[in-house]
Amino acid sequence: MSIYVYGDSYAVSLQADWQWYKQYAKAKKEQCYVSADFGVANEWTCMQIYKDFADRKYQDGDTIFVVMTASTRHWFLWDHPNVSNYENMRDIPLEKFGITKDQVNEVEQYYRHIQSGYIDSWKYDATTTWLNHYARRVKQDFNANMIILQGFGNATDVQPEGALWIQGNLFNTVCEGEFKSDKAMDEYYELPIPDQRINHMLKDNHTVLAQALLANKPFDLAQLPWKKGILTVNTSAMLKDQMSPVPLR
């Protein structure tokens, strides 16, 4: 049996053996395979799942974790899935992503003439429905269990229906909750370096999430015993052992 993980920066594999799904895999004594990347959209994540489904990689008893991302992200450029999070990267030099000015203009035209909250919400609902379908298919075809977590508080009328019912989202509960205040969070994200927390959460909170998943019972992310209200620009140095062991660029 194996663990498969899909998603965005809440799931990307980094140089730490204490990431939430690695703790889960270690406790289960199973191999872990990760298909996740920074700034990707739900469409990209679904494509990775579909590829593995079509290639029949899943086996009896496998666990499949899917972390859904923000509804505002869209897979604009096939060869540059990281550009999906364009709203948060407009001040980053183009050469960092290997995209041209024409490609930037194309993305900006979408935001100027097409994007709307209604379209974002509809696509998110459609994606959730697609995942719910494949949660049933992987159970039916492989006897594997798909567990769906929401990364952000997207407005949706369709709830994830994977093998384990999980309410809430990671941003509003743990990522945001770790900061001492909204002002502290704003100041931290204004630093000229990326978030140095692996998967946007402190080390101890990876354990909190892993233990909740290992219990294999429905839960509300807002009710977990997170370590909260401690992170600021000034305390980040004291929390160094809770951050990435290597600088995140």
Side-chain angles (χ1 to χ4, degrees):
M1 293 185 288
S2 301
I3 311 297
Y4 290 85
V5 184
Y6 304 91
D8 62 354
S9 54
Y10 282 106
V12 69
S13 182
L14 296 166
Q15 297 181 43
D17 60 3
W18 42 259
Q19 287 180 263
W20 57 274
Y21 51 80
K22 293 178 183 176
Q23 292 189 48
Y24 183 97
K26 183 177 181 180
K28 292 284 190 177
K29 298 180 180 179
E30 298 173 3
Q31 292 293 317
C32 186
Y33 303 95
V34 183
S35 297
D37 206 347
F38 295 100
V40 294
N42 287 314
E43 300 100 301
W44 183 88
T45 296
C46 290
M47 179 65 77
Q48 311 317 305
I49 296 169
Y50 183 75
K51 284 179 181 177
D52 288 348
F53 178 89
D55 291 341
R56 303 191 66 81
K57 288 189 177 181
Y58 307 132
Q59 297 182 8
D60 186 3
D62 285 353
T63 300
I64 303 163
F65 290 116
V66 181
V67 181
M68 299 184 70
T69 193
S71 63
T72 54
R73 298 185 188 182
H74 304 289
W75 191 2
F76 299 109
L77 307 172
W78 183 264
D79 294 328
H80 302 280
N82 305 91
V83 181
S84 303
N85 192 18
Y86 182 72
E87 285 186 309
N88 291 338
M89 54 171 277
R90 283 176 289 186
D91 296 327
I92 300 175
L94 298 182
E95 55 267 21
K96 181 175 175 63
F97 298 95
I99 56 178
T100 66
K101 291 183 178 180
D102 285 343
Q103 288 173 318
V104 170
N105 181 62
E106 291 166 2
V107 174
E108 289 181 343
Q109 291 300 315
Y110 174 87
Y111 279 104
R112 186 173 293 119
H113 300 293
I114 301 175
Q115 190 272 342
S116 72
Y118 170 80
I119 291 175
D120 292 344
S121 295
W122 190 92
K123 290 183 70 175
Y124 191 84
D125 281 353
T127 300
T128 307
T129 302
W130 188 94
L131 286 170
N132 288 344
H133 169 75
Y134 273 93
R136 293 189 290 270
R137 286 293 306 275
V138 298
K139 187 65 176 179
Q140 172 187 310
D141 294 13
F142 304 99
N143 194 33
N145 296 304
M146 180 181 289
I147 298 173
I148 305 169
L149 300 97
Q150 297 190 85
F152 296 87
N154 300 291
T156 178
D157 292 325
V158 182
Q159 298 302 312
E161 298 174 359
L164 183 63
W165 181 86
I166 302 174
Q167 185 175 347
N169 67 84
L170 294 169
F171 177 77
N172 293 122
T173 55
V174 58
C175 174
E176 186 179 46
E178 290 179 348
F179 290 98
K180 193 170 183 178
S181 65
D182 289 343
K183 180 181 178 182
M185 180 172 65
D186 291 342
E187 291 173 346
Y188 182 83
Y189 281 122
E190 286 172 0
L191 293 173
I193 57 173
D195 187 356
Q196 295 301 298
R197 298 172 297 168
I198 288 184
N199 307 132
H200 307 298
M201 64 184 90
L202 299 172
K203 178 180 178 180
D204 288 350
N205 285 334
H206 281 262
T207 301
V208 171
L209 180 56
Q211 291 300 315
L213 293 166
L214 286 165
N216 198 34
K217 296 179 181 179
F219 64 89
D220 185 342
L221 286 163
Q223 300 302 316
L224 296 184
W226 304 111
K227 177 177 285 189
K228 299 172 69 175
I230 59 174
L231 183 58
T232 68
V233 170
N234 293 330
T235 63
S236 59
M238 293 183 286
L239 294 168
K240 186 177 180 180
D241 64 335
Q242 295 282 322
M243 306 283 192
S244 172
V246 296
L248 300 179
R249 304 295 186 187

PDB file of all heavy atoms in Angstrom, residues 173-199:
ATOM      1  N   THR A 173      -7.562  28.253   9.310  1.00  0.00           N
ATOM      2  CA  THR A 173      -7.416  27.585  10.600  1.00  0.00           C
ATOM      3  C   THR A 173      -5.974  27.588  11.098  1.00  0.00           C
ATOM      4  O   THR A 173      -5.695  28.072  12.188  1.00  0.00           O
ATOM      5  CB  THR A 173      -7.934  26.142  10.529  1.00  0.00           C
ATOM      6  OG1 THR A 173      -7.270  25.446   9.466  1.00  0.00           O
ATOM      7  CG2 THR A 173      -9.428  26.120  10.283  1.00  0.00           C
ATOM      8  N   VAL A 174      -5.046  27.066  10.297  1.00  0.00           N
ATOM      9  CA  VAL A 174      -3.672  26.933  10.784  1.00  0.00           C
ATOM     10  C   VAL A 174      -2.721  27.983  10.210  1.00  0.00           C
ATOM     11  O   VAL A 174      -1.969  28.617  10.959  1.00  0.00           O
ATOM     12  CB  VAL A 174      -3.129  25.508  10.541  1.00  0.00           C
ATOM     13  CG1 VAL A 174      -3.173  25.114   9.083  1.00  0.00           C
ATOM     14  CG2 VAL A 174      -1.723  25.365  11.094  1.00  0.00           C
ATOM     15  N   CYS A 175      -2.731  28.202   8.904  1.00  0.00           N
ATOM     16  CA  CYS A 175      -1.801  29.168   8.310  1.00  0.00           C
ATOM     17  C   CYS A 175      -1.995  30.558   8.903  1.00  0.00           C
ATOM     18  O   CYS A 175      -1.056  31.172   9.419  1.00  0.00           O
ATOM     19  CB  CYS A 175      -1.984  29.201   6.798  1.00  0.00           C
ATOM     20  SG  CYS A 175      -1.006  30.470   5.970  1.00  0.00           S
ATOM     21  N   GLU A 176      -3.205  31.057   8.854  1.00  0.00           N
ATOM     22  CA  GLU A 176      -3.534  32.368   9.401  1.00  0.00           C
ATOM     23  C   GLU A 176      -3.518  32.345  10.929  1.00  0.00           C
ATOM     24  O   GLU A 176      -3.096  33.289  11.581  1.00  0.00           O
ATOM     25  CB  GLU A 176      -4.916  32.784   8.890  1.00  0.00           C
ATOM     26  CG  GLU A 176      -5.357  34.179   9.256  1.00  0.00           C
ATOM     27  CD  GLU A 176      -6.719  34.504   8.686  1.00  0.00           C
ATOM     28  OE1 GLU A 176      -7.629  33.652   8.800  1.00  0.00           O
ATOM     29  OE2 GLU A 176      -6.879  35.594   8.106  1.00  0.00           O
ATOM     30  N   GLY A 177      -3.970  31.237  11.486  1.00  0.00           N
ATOM     31  CA  GLY A 177      -4.080  31.140  12.940  1.00  0.00           C
ATOM     32  C   GLY A 177      -2.763  31.170  13.686  1.00  0.00           C
ATOM     33  O   GLY A 177      -2.725  31.523  14.869  1.00  0.00           O
ATOM     34  N   GLU A 178      -1.679  30.813  13.029  1.00  0.00           N
ATOM     35  CA  GLU A 178      -0.379  30.814  13.698  1.00  0.00           C
ATOM     36  C   GLU A 178       0.130  32.218  14.003  1.00  0.00           C
ATOM     37  O   GLU A 178       0.985  32.398  14.874  1.00  0.00           O
ATOM     38  CB  GLU A 178       0.642  30.063  12.842  1.00  0.00           C
ATOM     39  CG  GLU A 178       0.391  28.557  12.799  1.00  0.00           C
ATOM     40  CD  GLU A 178       1.390  27.815  11.938  1.00  0.00           C
ATOM     41  OE1 GLU A 178       2.151  28.478  11.184  1.00  0.00           O
ATOM     42  OE2 GLU A 178       1.411  26.591  12.001  1.00  0.00           O
ATOM     43  N   PHE A 179      -0.380  33.217  13.297  1.00  0.00           N
ATOM     44  CA  PHE A 179       0.079  34.585  13.503  1.00  0.00           C
ATOM     45  C   PHE A 179      -0.554  35.199  14.746  1.00  0.00           C
ATOM     46  O   PHE A 179      -1.691  34.879  15.105  1.00  0.00           O
ATOM     47  CB  PHE A 179      -0.232  35.438  12.276  1.00  0.00           C
ATOM     48  CG  PHE A 179       0.591  35.083  11.082  1.00  0.00           C
ATOM     49  CD1 PHE A 179       0.077  34.256  10.094  1.00  0.00           C
ATOM     50  CD2 PHE A 179       1.890  35.553  10.954  1.00  0.00           C
ATOM     51  CE1 PHE A 179       0.843  33.907   8.984  1.00  0.00           C
ATOM     52  CE2 PHE A 179       2.666  35.217   9.854  1.00  0.00           C
ATOM     53  CZ  PHE A 179       2.141  34.389   8.876  1.00  0.00           C
ATOM     54  N   LYS A 180       0.177  36.097  15.355  1.00  0.00           N
ATOM     55  CA  LYS A 180      -0.291  36.757  16.577  1.00  0.00           C
ATOM     56  C   LYS A 180      -1.462  37.688  16.281  1.00  0.00           C
ATOM     57  O   LYS A 180      -2.317  37.917  17.149  1.00  0.00           O
ATOM     58  CB  LYS A 180       0.855  37.530  17.229  1.00  0.00           C
ATOM     59  CG  LYS A 180       0.577  37.985  18.646  1.00  0.00           C
ATOM     60  CD  LYS A 180       1.833  38.531  19.302  1.00  0.00           C
ATOM     61  CE  LYS A 180       1.573  38.922  20.753  1.00  0.00           C
ATOM     62  NZ  LYS A 180       2.814  39.412  21.414  1.00  0.00           N
ATOM     63  N   SER A 181      -1.499  38.256  15.082  1.00  0.00           N
ATOM     64  CA  SER A 181      -2.569  39.170  14.690  1.00  0.00           C
ATOM     65  C   SER A 181      -2.572  39.311  13.177  1.00  0.00           C
ATOM     66  O   SER A 181      -1.642  38.859  12.496  1.00  0.00           O
ATOM     67  CB  SER A 181      -2.364  40.552  15.330  1.00  0.00           C
ATOM     68  OG  SER A 181      -1.170  41.153  14.821  1.00  0.00           O
ATOM     69  N   ASP A 182      -3.608  39.947  12.649  1.00  0.00           N
ATOM     70  CA  ASP A 182      -3.653  40.215  11.213  1.00  0.00           C
ATOM     71  C   ASP A 182      -2.497  41.116  10.798  1.00  0.00           C
ATOM     72  O   ASP A 182      -1.907  40.942   9.725  1.00  0.00           O
ATOM     73  CB  ASP A 182      -4.981  40.873  10.833  1.00  0.00           C
ATOM     74  CG  ASP A 182      -6.157  39.911  10.928  1.00  0.00           C
ATOM     75  OD1 ASP A 182      -5.928  38.684  10.960  1.00  0.00           O
ATOM     76  OD2 ASP A 182      -7.307  40.390  10.976  1.00  0.00           O
ATOM     77  N   LYS A 183      -2.181  42.085  11.649  1.00  0.00           N
ATOM     78  CA  LYS A 183      -1.062  42.983  11.354  1.00  0.00           C
ATOM     79  C   LYS A 183       0.244  42.204  11.300  1.00  0.00           C
ATOM     80  O   LYS A 183       1.082  42.437  10.421  1.00  0.00           O
ATOM     81  CB  LYS A 183      -0.977  44.077  12.417  1.00  0.00           C
ATOM     82  CG  LYS A 183       0.163  45.062  12.187  1.00  0.00           C
ATOM     83  CD  LYS A 183       0.232  46.123  13.283  1.00  0.00           C
ATOM     84  CE  LYS A 183       1.409  47.062  13.059  1.00  0.00           C
ATOM     85  NZ  LYS A 183       1.521  48.066  14.151  1.00  0.00           N
ATOM     86  N   ALA A 184       0.420  41.264  12.221  1.00  0.00           N
ATOM     87  CA  ALA A 184       1.636  40.448  12.239  1.00  0.00           C
ATOM     88  C   ALA A 184       1.743  39.621  10.956  1.00  0.00           C
ATOM     89  O   ALA A 184       2.839  39.446  10.405  1.00  0.00           O
ATOM     90  CB  ALA A 184       1.639  39.545  13.456  1.00  0.00           C
ATOM     91  N   MET A 185       0.613  39.105  10.489  1.00  0.00           N
ATOM     92  CA  MET A 185       0.613  38.324   9.255  1.00  0.00           C
ATOM     93  C   MET A 185       0.982  39.202   8.062  1.00  0.00           C
ATOM     94  O   MET A 185       1.795  38.805   7.215  1.00  0.00           O
ATOM     95  CB  MET A 185      -0.751  37.680   9.031  1.00  0.00           C
ATOM     96  CG  MET A 185      -0.825  36.848   7.764  1.00  0.00           C
ATOM     97  SD  MET A 185      -2.371  35.895   7.596  1.00  0.00           S
ATOM     98  CE  MET A 185      -3.562  37.244   7.444  1.00  0.00           C
ATOM     99  N   ASP A 186       0.410  40.400   7.984  1.00  0.00           N
ATOM    100  CA  ASP A 186       0.722  41.308   6.881  1.00  0.00           C
ATOM    101  C   ASP A 186       2.203  41.662   6.861  1.00  0.00           C
ATOM    102  O   ASP A 186       2.838  41.674   5.796  1.00  0.00           O
ATOM    103  CB  ASP A 186      -0.115  42.588   6.994  1.00  0.00           C
ATOM    104  CG  ASP A 186      -1.592  42.347   6.742  1.00  0.00           C
ATOM    105  OD1 ASP A 186      -1.930  41.301   6.152  1.00  0.00           O
ATOM    106  OD2 ASP A 186      -2.408  43.189   7.150  1.00  0.00           O
ATOM    107  N   GLU A 187       2.767  41.947   8.035  1.00  0.00           N
ATOM    108  CA  GLU A 187       4.190  42.305   8.126  1.00  0.00           C
ATOM    109  C   GLU A 187       5.074  41.130   7.727  1.00  0.00           C
ATOM    110  O   GLU A 187       6.118  41.314   7.082  1.00  0.00           O
ATOM    111  CB  GLU A 187       4.516  42.769   9.547  1.00  0.00           C
ATOM    112  CG  GLU A 187       3.876  44.103   9.915  1.00  0.00           C
ATOM    113  CD  GLU A 187       4.069  44.470  11.374  1.00  0.00           C
ATOM    114  OE1 GLU A 187       4.474  43.594  12.184  1.00  0.00           O
ATOM    115  OE2 GLU A 187       3.829  45.643  11.727  1.00  0.00           O
ATOM    116  N   TYR A 188       4.673  39.939   8.093  1.00  0.00           N
ATOM    117  CA  TYR A 188       5.465  38.745   7.755  1.00  0.00           C
ATOM    118  C   TYR A 188       5.489  38.533   6.242  1.00  0.00           C
ATOM    119  O   TYR A 188       6.542  38.255   5.661  1.00  0.00           O
ATOM    120  CB  TYR A 188       4.857  37.526   8.456  1.00  0.00           C
ATOM    121  CG  TYR A 188       5.610  36.236   8.241  1.00  0.00           C
ATOM    122  CD1 TYR A 188       6.725  35.903   9.015  1.00  0.00           C
ATOM    123  CD2 TYR A 188       5.204  35.326   7.265  1.00  0.00           C
ATOM    124  CE1 TYR A 188       7.413  34.719   8.821  1.00  0.00           C
ATOM    125  CE2 TYR A 188       5.882  34.137   7.066  1.00  0.00           C
ATOM    126  CZ  TYR A 188       6.981  33.839   7.847  1.00  0.00           C
ATOM    127  OH  TYR A 188       7.661  32.650   7.651  1.00  0.00           O
ATOM    128  N   TYR A 189       4.339  38.683   5.605  1.00  0.00           N
ATOM    129  CA  TYR A 189       4.275  38.453   4.166  1.00  0.00           C
ATOM    130  C   TYR A 189       4.862  39.610   3.361  1.00  0.00           C
ATOM    131  O   TYR A 189       5.074  39.467   2.145  1.00  0.00           O
ATOM    132  CB  TYR A 189       2.833  38.192   3.742  1.00  0.00           C
ATOM    133  CG  TYR A 189       2.376  36.779   4.046  1.00  0.00           C
ATOM    134  CD1 TYR A 189       1.260  36.539   4.853  1.00  0.00           C
ATOM    135  CD2 TYR A 189       3.062  35.682   3.533  1.00  0.00           C
ATOM    136  CE1 TYR A 189       0.851  35.239   5.132  1.00  0.00           C
ATOM    137  CE2 TYR A 189       2.663  34.388   3.800  1.00  0.00           C
ATOM    138  CZ  TYR A 189       1.562  34.171   4.607  1.00  0.00           C
ATOM    139  OH  TYR A 189       1.159  32.883   4.879  1.00  0.00           O
ATOM    140  N   GLU A 190       5.136  40.723   4.024  1.00  0.00           N
ATOM    141  CA  GLU A 190       5.789  41.842   3.340  1.00  0.00           C
ATOM    142  C   GLU A 190       7.305  41.691   3.314  1.00  0.00           C
ATOM    143  O   GLU A 190       7.998  42.463   2.643  1.00  0.00           O
ATOM    144  CB  GLU A 190       5.419  43.154   4.029  1.00  0.00           C
ATOM    145  CG  GLU A 190       3.979  43.602   3.740  1.00  0.00           C
ATOM    146  CD  GLU A 190       3.560  44.796   4.578  1.00  0.00           C
ATOM    147  OE1 GLU A 190       4.391  45.280   5.381  1.00  0.00           O
ATOM    148  OE2 GLU A 190       2.409  45.247   4.436  1.00  0.00           O
ATOM    149  N   LEU A 191       7.843  40.695   4.012  1.00  0.00           N
ATOM    150  CA  LEU A 191       9.284  40.455   3.993  1.00  0.00           C
ATOM    151  C   LEU A 191       9.725  40.086   2.572  1.00  0.00           C
ATOM    152  O   LEU A 191       8.948  39.505   1.809  1.00  0.00           O
ATOM    153  CB  LEU A 191       9.642  39.323   4.955  1.00  0.00           C
ATOM    154  CG  LEU A 191       9.446  39.601   6.452  1.00  0.00           C
ATOM    155  CD1 LEU A 191       9.673  38.330   7.264  1.00  0.00           C
ATOM    156  CD2 LEU A 191      10.391  40.702   6.921  1.00  0.00           C
ATOM    157  N   PRO A 192      10.965  40.398   2.198  1.00  0.00           N
ATOM    158  CA  PRO A 192      11.428  40.144   0.826  1.00  0.00           C
ATOM    159  C   PRO A 192      11.797  38.687   0.557  1.00  0.00           C
ATOM    160  O   PRO A 192      12.533  38.401  -0.382  1.00  0.00           O
ATOM    161  CB  PRO A 192      12.648  41.061   0.713  1.00  0.00           C
ATOM    162  CG  PRO A 192      13.178  41.142   2.100  1.00  0.00           C
ATOM    163  CD  PRO A 192      11.963  41.135   2.999  1.00  0.00           C
ATOM    164  N   ILE A 193      11.309  37.773   1.376  1.00  0.00           N
ATOM    165  CA  ILE A 193      11.553  36.343   1.185  1.00  0.00           C
ATOM    166  C   ILE A 193      10.210  35.609   1.309  1.00  0.00           C
ATOM    167  O   ILE A 193       9.284  36.118   1.936  1.00  0.00           O
ATOM    168  CB  ILE A 193      12.554  35.778   2.221  1.00  0.00           C
ATOM    169  CG1 ILE A 193      12.047  36.043   3.643  1.00  0.00           C
ATOM    170  CG2 ILE A 193      13.945  36.354   2.005  1.00  0.00           C
ATOM    171  CD1 ILE A 193      12.890  35.380   4.723  1.00  0.00           C
ATOM    172  N   PRO A 194      10.107  34.420   0.716  1.00  0.00           N
ATOM    173  CA  PRO A 194       8.845  33.671   0.832  1.00  0.00           C
ATOM    174  C   PRO A 194       8.603  33.191   2.268  1.00  0.00           C
ATOM    175  O   PRO A 194       9.497  33.245   3.128  1.00  0.00           O
ATOM    176  CB  PRO A 194       9.070  32.471  -0.106  1.00  0.00           C
ATOM    177  CG  PRO A 194      10.246  32.822  -0.950  1.00  0.00           C
ATOM    178  CD  PRO A 194      11.093  33.744  -0.131  1.00  0.00           C
ATOM    179  N   ASP A 195       7.415  32.737   2.508  1.00  0.00           N
ATOM    180  CA  ASP A 195       7.055  32.115   3.777  1.00  0.00           C
ATOM    181  C   ASP A 195       8.029  30.968   4.049  1.00  0.00           C
ATOM    182  O   ASP A 195       8.191  30.065   3.229  1.00  0.00           O
ATOM    183  CB  ASP A 195       5.621  31.578   3.672  1.00  0.00           C
ATOM    184  CG  ASP A 195       5.076  31.051   4.987  1.00  0.00           C
ATOM    185  OD1 ASP A 195       5.821  31.029   5.992  1.00  0.00           O
ATOM    186  OD2 ASP A 195       3.895  30.656   5.011  1.00  0.00           O
ATOM    187  N   GLN A 196       8.681  30.994   5.192  1.00  0.00           N
ATOM    188  CA  GLN A 196       9.675  29.972   5.527  1.00  0.00           C
ATOM    189  C   GLN A 196       9.071  28.780   6.273  1.00  0.00           C
ATOM    190  O   GLN A 196       9.791  27.862   6.672  1.00  0.00           O
ATOM    191  CB  GLN A 196      10.804  30.591   6.356  1.00  0.00           C
ATOM    192  CG  GLN A 196      11.618  31.627   5.601  1.00  0.00           C
ATOM    193  CD  GLN A 196      12.278  31.062   4.355  1.00  0.00           C
ATOM    194  OE1 GLN A 196      13.112  30.156   4.445  1.00  0.00           O
ATOM    195  NE2 GLN A 196      11.904  31.576   3.180  1.00  0.00           N
ATOM    196  N   ARG A 197       7.766  28.772   6.429  1.00  0.00           N
ATOM    197  CA  ARG A 197       7.095  27.609   7.011  1.00  0.00           C
ATOM    198  C   ARG A 197       6.846  26.569   5.919  1.00  0.00           C
ATOM    199  O   ARG A 197       6.341  26.900   4.858  1.00  0.00           O
ATOM    200  CB  ARG A 197       5.774  28.012   7.653  1.00  0.00           C
ATOM    201  CG  ARG A 197       5.886  28.986   8.803  1.00  0.00           C
ATOM    202  CD  ARG A 197       4.512  29.468   9.233  1.00  0.00           C
ATOM    203  NE  ARG A 197       3.837  30.207   8.157  1.00  0.00           N
ATOM    204  CZ  ARG A 197       2.558  30.548   8.168  1.00  0.00           C
ATOM    205  NH1 ARG A 197       1.782  30.187   9.188  1.00  0.00           N
ATOM    206  NH2 ARG A 197       2.031  31.228   7.175  1.00  0.00           N
ATOM    207  N   ILE A 198       7.171  25.347   6.191  1.00  0.00           N
ATOM    208  CA  ILE A 198       6.883  24.284   5.227  1.00  0.00           C
ATOM    209  C   ILE A 198       5.381  24.063   5.167  1.00  0.00           C
ATOM    210  O   ILE A 198       4.733  23.880   6.196  1.00  0.00           O
ATOM    211  CB  ILE A 198       7.639  22.992   5.603  1.00  0.00           C
ATOM    212  CG1 ILE A 198       9.130  23.171   5.314  1.00  0.00           C
ATOM    213  CG2 ILE A 198       7.068  21.797   4.857  1.00  0.00           C
ATOM    214  CD1 ILE A 198       9.967  21.934   5.553  1.00  0.00           C
ATOM    215  N   ASN A 199       4.839  24.117   3.935  1.00  0.00           N
ATOM    216  CA  ASN A 199       3.393  23.978   3.717  1.00  0.00           C
ATOM    217  C   ASN A 199       2.598  24.991   4.530  1.00  0.00           C
ATOM    218  O   ASN A 199       1.454  24.723   4.934  1.00  0.00           O
ATOM    219  CB  ASN A 199       2.914  22.560   4.026  1.00  0.00           C
ATOM    220  CG  ASN A 199       3.691  21.486   3.286  1.00  0.00           C
ATOM    221  OD1 ASN A 199       4.111  20.506   3.881  1.00  0.00           O
ATOM    222  ND2 ASN A 199       3.886  21.665   1.986  1.00  0.00           N
TER     223      ASN A 199
END
